[in-house]
Amino acid sequence: MSDNSTFLLFLFLGFAVAWLGIIAYVMYVGARLRAVERDLESLRTPAADAPERSSGSGVDQD
Amino acid sequence: MDRSVEAGRPGLLRGAGASTLVLWATTAIAMAAALYMMFLYAPTEAVQGDLQRLFYVHMSTALIGYVGFFVTFLAGAIYLARGSVRWDRLARASAIIGVVFITIVLITGCLWGTKVWGACWTWDPRLTTTLILWFIYVGYLMLRGYVDDPQARMRLAAIVGIVGFVVVPINYMSVYWWRSLHPQATVLRPEGPGLSSEMLITLLVTMAAFLLLYVVLLRLQLKLESLIDELGELRFRRLLQESDG
């Protein structure tokens, strides 16, 4: 492999690491945000949520 | 805001205000400009060829690491002075981003070193102090999981964040203080920048784009940290109610 093509390979790897790292971090924060928002929502509306849950569960429908 | 427009947005932008949208758009444009300049505007370096283009990302991510830890240091000091939780939250959020970017610096440095020095890692002063810096702030984040009392946790974390920042100037000066394989500064030198004007402009545009990205990520991480705190508080109140009832 010529020097310039290995230079290009390492350049590609470097950029891939940097961008994939940033994208993975943003996706992780996004997933955590959604999960925390869901948990907050379920904690904020416990009374309205409880009857819905029991009527919507598979056990009750049976 | 129109609900159909709101629903069509990606998850991270849902519920975002106009200022957030402008910030995201500006960052995307700046990043596109930086990429264009890195690959098409900046000249190819004579010795390292195209591999030298990694320099723009490597330097910019290192800058964000430094900025991230500086904000942690500053917010930690303000937390110790004022005792407000939001400063602790800012310190924590910025440390996370600093660790992410210093990780990228270490990996891109390893790739660059593999080709140019023939080794991914050497116990060079710059590399070693960067690794120490990384360990300090990973430790800073881990420490938060080990202390139960919130006040003690925030105080201890602020102290570690402040003391840990001492390594940043040591890391920067390491190439001058000790014999090092790592090149010395190419921009901030008494005799002026050692780069062609095209390379210098490309570097400055890339750094500006990464600084904007830092602000975007910091706002996102702060939102997450504040929701986590709110969730913890709600759970605590729920537990209290249950134990009372």
Side-chain angles (χ1 to χ4, degrees):
Chain A
M1 204 185 270
S2 75
D3 234 16
N4 201 43
S5 61
T6 53
F7 279 166
L8 279 172
L9 173 70
F10 278 83
L11 176 69
F12 168 77
L13 288 175
F15 270 79
V17 164
W19 287 107
L20 289 178
I22 292 166
I23 290 167
Y25 166 68
V26 171
M27 286 176 73
Y28 168 76
V29 173
R32 284 277 288 143
L33 262 174
R34 279 190 295 277
V36 173
E37 277 169 348
R38 245 192 335 265
D39 287 354
L40 269 173
E41 202 56 44
S42 67
L43 273 175
R44 278 182 190 140
T45 54
D49 207 22
E52 257 178 48
R53 248 188 244 151
S54 63
S55 64
S57 72
V59 177
D60 284 355
Q61 280 167 358
D62 287 340
Chain B
M1 169 129 350
D2 184 359
R3 272 172 185 266
S4 59
V5 173
E6 182 82 4
R9 283 187 198 159
L12 288 172
L13 288 176
R14 216 164 287 146
S19 64
T20 305
L21 290 176
V22 169
L23 183 63
W24 278 70
T26 312
T27 307
I29 292 166
M31 219 32 110
L35 281 170
Y36 169 81
M37 292 179 82
M38 275 186 257
F39 287 101
L40 300 170
Y41 174 73
T44 306
E45 207 254 354
V47 180
Q48 295 184 27
D50 285 319
L51 183 60
Q52 185 270 345
R53 296 180 201 279
L54 200 51
F55 160 80
Y56 305 108
V57 170
H58 185 70
M59 279 277 287
S60 303
T61 46
L63 171 77
I64 302 306
Y66 281 178
V67 169
F69 297 147
F70 175 69
V71 171
T72 298
F73 158 81
L74 201 64
I78 298 175
Y79 170 78
L80 286 181
R82 296 190 183 168
S84 166
V85 177
R86 68 194 178 111
W87 291 107
D88 173 71
R89 209 178 283 149
L90 175 63
R92 191 178 8 158
S94 194
I96 292 171
I97 297 168
V99 167
V100 168
F101 278 84
I102 290 296
T103 308
I104 293 172
V105 170
L106 286 168
I107 300 173
T108 52
C110 159
L111 287 165
W112 200 354
T114 301
K115 196 70 201 113
V116 177
W117 298 337
C120 163
W121 184 264
T122 62
W123 294 101
D124 170 271
R126 173 59 70 83
L127 274 65
T128 308
T129 50
T130 308
L131 187 65
I132 291 170
L133 193 62
W134 185 85
F135 272 118
I136 287 172
Y137 284 93
V138 168
Y140 167 92
L141 295 171
M142 288 173 75
L143 172 82
R144 293 178 166 277
Y146 297 131
V147 185
D148 287 333
D149 176 30
Q151 294 299 321
R153 179 174 59 227
M154 290 189 274
R155 210 175 313 120
L156 199 60
I159 292 166
V160 173
I162 292 166
V163 174
F165 188 73
V166 170
V167 180
V168 171
I170 295 174
N171 177 253
Y172 182 77
M173 295 304 292
S174 60
V175 288
Y176 300 101
W177 290 346
W178 297 289
R179 276 159 57 104
S180 177
L181 267 177
H182 196 281
Q184 296 187 346
T186 47
V187 180
L188 298 174
R189 332 187 289 173
E191 62 269 37
L195 294 169
S196 72
S197 58
E198 290 97 336
M199 284 179 174
L200 182 63
I201 293 168
T202 304
L203 178 65
L204 294 176
V205 169
T206 311
M207 282 179 163
F210 272 87
L211 277 171
L212 281 169
L213 181 66
Y214 167 75
V215 176
V216 165
L217 297 179
L218 186 65
R219 285 171 62 128
L220 203 61
Q221 188 69 46
L222 268 175
K223 185 179 171 190
L224 175 63
E225 297 298 327
S226 113
L227 287 179
I228 288 171
D229 285 352
E230 198 181 330
L231 183 66
E233 216 168 280
L234 263 176
R235 279 185 175 147
F236 181 67
R237 262 191 244 150
R238 181 64 63 84
L239 271 175
L240 278 181
Q241 279 173 359
E242 280 172 9
S243 64
D244 284 350

